[in-house]
Amino acid sequence: MTEQHIDTVLLSVGHDLPYLTGYTAMPLERLTMLVVPRDGDATLIIPRLEAPRVVEQPGVFDLLPWGETEDPTALVGKLSSGSSRIAVGDQMWARFLVELLPHVPGAEYLRAVDVVGALRMTKDQAEIDALAAAGAAVDKIAGELQRGEIELVGRTEAQVSAELSRRIIAEGHDKVNFAIVAAGENAASPHHHAGGRVIEEGEIVLCDFGGTMAGYCSDTTRCVFTGEVASDVAEAYEVLHEAQAVGVAAGATGTPCEDVDRATRKVIDDAGYGEYFIHRTGHGIGLEEHEDPYIVEGNSLPLAPGHAYSVEPGIYIPGRWGMRLEDIVVATLDGPVSLNNSDHRLVSV
Ligand code: ZN
Ligand code: ZN
Ligand code: ZN
């Protein structure tokens, strides 16, 4: 906060608050707000009825519960008064900020990610262990998919998605974040919503799934082919497989994030599929399924030990098929470590 000349950080709904306090705000109209002044003690303003859920942390923050007829925004305003630069969490509801504006006239508002983002981005060993455990759990499901233990042909994408979701919970996750199942031409839409399309013999099935386990997220993508792999698909998959491996290997500490994107993209460009790789190479992961650092052209941030991110190139041919291969990788002084280790080949099921 001193470096960024920020007087007060305000955190509400979102992941910065639990990262710093262990408490997750209810996404409700009743305001919860951690007020962190640069000098002085932090205060957690909280609806009185939610206060029993807070595990108090003396020396970390004071608790200030508010009653149903009080104006909590005025409390935030009072604790923030005199601030000229206030940083707010990305996921704070707009209504809380709009209501706060008249209480602190003249203040400049910034994003709290400038303060908390750097802390959250660099995972300690306990966080890496949590990501690895979540990764191992989805790898197990990927293995089941690749061994043909999850029925595909004759079922709808939505049915398979529901089964992946059940398995994500059965493997120890607390919640499912997504279970994309996209068959054939649907796989050309990277975030396809699994629907009523029935999976047939002789097509690619893209599965991208993950959840949250003990606070930390998993996220992996594997494709399987129902029957003998079509030659155009096999050819493109060779390129994708190599691009993904090159992208993972490119993640030495000190390497700018954009160089990982470039290394991955170059393989796909050189093979002539460049126009079909329509998204960035990856995203950071931790408490949130997408967070800093983003593996994208324009992000010159050098990778540092503890950075955790996805490497997930894709090739998407509209109207025909799509494919993506995704692992979560942690940057370490000994080189990049992949947290997803299920078979990287396009398995025929
Ligand atoms: Zn995605
Ligand atoms: Zn991802
Ligand atoms: Zn994914």
Side-chain angles (χ1 to χ4, degrees), residues 178 208-209 219-221 283 312 324 326:
F178 46 83
D208 181 354
F209 51 97
D219 182 4
T220 192
T221 308
H283 54 81
E312 50 176 308
R324 178 164 67 254
E326 173 179 27

Side-chain angles (χ1 to χ4, degrees), residues 152-163:
L152 298 174
V153 175
R155 295 171 90 190
T156 66
E157 295 169 339
Q159 284 171 324
V160 176
S161 174
E163 176 159 356

Side-chain angles (χ1 to χ4, degrees), residues 35-330:
V35 182
V36 187
R38 189 173 58 218
D39 311 301
D41 297 330
T43 304
L44 183 61
I45 296 172
I46 188 159
R48 177 152 286 139
L49 78 165
E50 307 287 358
R53 296 200 306 117
V54 180
V55 178
E56 293 202 50
Q57 309 232 28
V60 179
F61 58 85
D62 298 325
L63 206 58
L64 178 54
W66 59 274
E68 292 281 54
T69 57
E70 281 180 275
D71 174 8
T73 314
L75 295 174
V76 178
K78 212 167 121 198
L79 290 172
S80 313
S81 68
S83 299
S84 56
R85 281 164 65 86
I86 298 177
V88 301
D90 276 3
Q91 286 135 341
M92 176 190 299
W93 286 13
R95 63 167 289 179
F96 299 141
L97 183 56
V98 168
E99 286 166 2
L100 178 66
L101 294 177
H103 287 272
V104 195
E108 184 187 344
Y109 289 86
L110 303 102
R111 290 174 61 200
V113 71
D114 294 335
V115 179
V116 191
L119 303 174
R120 279 184 48 193
M121 189 159 53
T122 308
K123 274 73 181 177
D124 63 22
Q125 193 56 50
E127 294 180 289
I128 293 169
D129 291 347
L131 287 168
V138 288
D139 279 359
K140 212 175 148 207
I141 301 167
E144 290 159 359
L145 177 72
Q146 292 169 324
R147 288 193 301 272
E149 292 167 19
I150 298 175
E151 204 64 51
L152 298 174
V153 175
R155 295 171 90 190
T156 66
E157 295 169 339
Q159 284 171 324
V160 176
S161 174
E163 176 159 356
L164 288 175
S165 299
R166 277 195 301 278
R167 290 181 189 233
I168 288 169
I169 297 297
E171 291 301 334
H173 288 77
D174 307 304
K175 93 184 181 24
V176 177
N177 293 331
F178 46 83
I180 296 171
V181 176
E185 74 288 348
N186 283 348
S189 166
H191 281 169
H192 173 69
H193 186 81
R197 185 190 183 292
V198 174
I199 298 167
E200 287 163 26
E201 196 70 49
E203 59 187 13
I204 198 162
V205 182
L206 182 158
C207 299
D208 181 354
F209 51 97
T212 304
M213 183 191 279
Y216 286 80
C217 294
S218 58
D219 182 4
T220 192
T221 308
R222 291 294 183 268
C223 294
V224 293
F225 204 93
T226 53
E228 203 190 321
V229 183
S231 61
D232 59 333
V233 172
E235 214 168 278
Y237 195 86
E238 280 302 304
V239 175
L240 179 72
H241 190 172
E242 193 201 335
Q244 204 268 347
V246 164
V248 171
T253 54
T255 306
C257 289
E258 63 188 356
D259 284 9
V260 174
D261 181 81
R262 284 176 193 162
T264 311
R265 199 168 297 279
K266 184 173 188 308
V267 176
I268 293 176
D269 279 343
D270 287 352
Y273 294 99
E275 66 177 299
Y276 304 116
F277 178 17
I278 54 177
H279 55 71
R280 65 191 176 206
T281 290
H283 54 81
I285 188 166
L287 292 172
E288 267 176 287
E289 53 262 52
H290 288 188
E291 59 179 47
D292 285 321
Y294 291 97
I295 309 301
V296 63
E297 182 67 40
N299 185 7
S300 58
L301 180 84
L303 287 172
H307 284 175
Y309 56 93
S310 70
V311 176
E312 50 176 308
I315 298 174
Y316 310 95
I317 313 282
R320 291 176 57 204
W321 45 257
M323 54 180 64
R324 178 164 67 254
L325 182 58
E326 173 179 27
D327 292 332
I328 302 304
V329 176
V330 178

